[in-house]
Amino acid sequence: MARVRFRSSAIALFLAAALSAFPAWAGIDLPNEAVNLKALGHFPNGACYGACVVGNTVVTGNGAALEIIYFGDPDNPVLIGSLTLPSEVYVVEVTGTYAFVGIIDYGLIVVDISQPDSPEALTHISFPSRIYDIMIDGDTAFLSVGGAGLRIM
């Protein structure tokens, strides 16, 4: 049987709900906590392609905005801060007080989120293709950049 690893139980729960609609995926071994799913709440502000959960906060894309949302009460999420970016957010990864944000057709933007109510863009790096995933391990970032391959920074 196929085994799937998840970065967090929140992702596991979301995927379990999504996969339950597709019987062909029934062979995937889901964590026990994914058995009893129910919607807790949502933040209805637009297109969301990427998000990263840190404690009771989610750093997410909302179209061309990076948003920091507190969801200590999942029924009533609260927008803490946002930053307008040059294009739609596709993927977000957070480490420490920095958000690494893959922007559609623009590249990577590193954002200081140490003051969540006023996030600040620090630097931008262009890439020849969309960034599909960002993984951080210690001081090293791994970027999946489509046809341009894996970039290690």
Side-chain angles (χ1 to χ4, degrees):
M1 180 176 302
R3 187 108 178 117
V4 179
R5 292 186 324 148
F6 301 98
R7 286 190 196 181
S8 74
S9 59
I11 292 172
L13 294 175
F14 169 78
L15 286 176
L19 294 176
S20 66
F22 299 98
W25 290 79
I28 292 180
D29 185 15
L30 296 172
N32 289 337
E33 66 266 19
V35 174
N36 297 315
L37 299 175
K38 71 175 188 170
L40 298 176
H42 75 289
F43 200 75
N45 277 2
C48 177
Y49 300 112
C52 186
V53 176
V54 181
N56 286 334
T57 304
V58 63
V59 181
T60 184
N62 172 12
L66 182 72
E67 295 184 336
I68 301 170
I69 302 166
Y70 174 76
F71 66 95
D73 175 3
D75 291 327
N76 299 298
V78 176
L79 179 65
I80 299 172
S82 67
L83 175 66
T84 300
L85 299 170
S87 185
E88 288 185 310
V89 173
Y90 192 75
V91 62
V92 179
E93 182 64 43
V94 173
T95 183
T97 58
Y98 299 101
F100 293 79
V101 185
I103 306 296
I104 293 177
D105 300 326
Y106 191 74
L108 176 74
I109 294 180
V110 179
V111 178
D112 180 351
I113 58 170
S114 61
Q115 295 182 21
D117 59 337
S118 57
E120 179 184 355
L122 299 176
T123 190
H124 164 254
I125 302 167
S126 293
F127 287 97
S129 180
R130 175 179 299 169
I131 298 171
Y132 287 89
D133 199 7
I134 301 170
M135 293 128 313
I136 307 290
D137 184 23
D139 292 337
T140 307
F142 300 86
L143 288 74
S144 175
V145 190
L150 177 68
R151 299 294 175 101
I152 303 170
M153 306 178 73

